[in-house]
Amino acid sequence: MSDTIKTKRLEGTQLIIETKDGTESYDSKFLVAALLIFIARGSGTIEPEESAKMIELIEEHFHMEGAESLELLTRAMSELAENPELGQSLVDLAPTLSEQDKEDIALMSLKVIAADGRRHVGEMEKFNEAVEAIGISPDTVHRAFDRYFAETMPQS
């Protein structure tokens, strides 16, 4: 997929985008992959630990094989690079997500940010942009942080 978007429409849970090169459809799996990539790039580069964490999280969340997860991330990276408008268009898929989906996406994002052992301001800024773009409420973000800390903090 390349060039600019001519038309886009939501059909059920699929976003259909037409460019001069043809038509592509995108779903919530692609949206999640694109969001994780967007956030991980917030520090300037995607670290190997972040790549591994994204593959693992997508594999677990969508019950995919590792190769499928990698393929999805690779497709998202290349299509976002070829068509910068695509990222903004993917926001149209947000209404297809449940509150639980949004909480899970926020949690996965936090895990990607933490994967390399460093907290980058740029990644948190991208996290906040993504949260706002897809309409994740502050309460949902708070629940995601609670889950993240419950999973990562030693029990006392």
Side-chain angles (χ1 to χ4, degrees):
M1 164 153 195
S2 65
D3 209 10
T4 59
I5 295 170
K6 291 166 62 174
T7 64
K8 61 181 179 171
R9 66 187 180 281
L10 199 56
E11 288 184 5
T13 60
Q14 299 283 314
L15 177 66
I16 311 300
I17 294 182
E18 183 184 339
T19 67
K20 73 175 181 89
D21 294 335
T23 303
E24 287 285 340
S25 73
Y26 302 94
D27 59 10
S28 61
K29 292 176 187 176
F30 190 91
L31 173 62
V32 169
L35 284 170
L36 294 179
I37 291 164
F38 174 75
I39 292 165
R41 282 189 175 149
S43 63
T45 60
I46 298 176
E47 300 298 327
E49 300 89 350
E50 293 168 330
S51 296
K53 182 55 79 174
M54 288 188 288
I55 292 167
E56 174 191 325
L57 291 168
I58 288 174
E59 185 178 336
E60 287 174 10
H61 186 74
F62 294 113
H63 310 289
M64 301 171 85
E65 295 294 322
E68 284 179 291
S69 178
L70 176 59
E71 184 178 323
L72 176 61
L73 285 162
T74 302
R75 177 181 170 223
M77 279 187 193
S78 79
E79 291 194 23
L80 288 166
E82 288 176 20
N83 188 349
E85 290 180 56
L86 179 59
Q88 188 58 42
S89 294
L90 289 171
V91 171
D92 292 352
L93 281 168
T96 69
L97 301 171
S98 69
E99 278 306 305
Q100 185 62 54
D101 291 334
K102 291 178 180 181
E103 184 179 324
D104 291 345
I105 290 168
L107 177 61
M108 287 189 281
S109 299
L110 294 171
K111 289 178 178 182
V112 169
I113 291 167
D116 63 0
R118 294 181 294 272
R119 288 178 294 174
H120 294 279
V121 171
E123 290 174 341
M124 285 307 298
E125 288 171 351
K126 295 296 184 185
F127 172 80
N128 290 330
E129 282 180 48
V131 160
E132 185 176 326
I134 63 171
I136 301 177
S137 73
D139 287 344
T140 301
V141 171
H142 186 76
R143 283 193 308 274
F145 270 101
D146 286 348
R147 285 175 56 196
Y148 175 78
F149 289 121
E151 290 179 21
T152 59
M153 299 301 286
Q155 300 300 317
S156 41

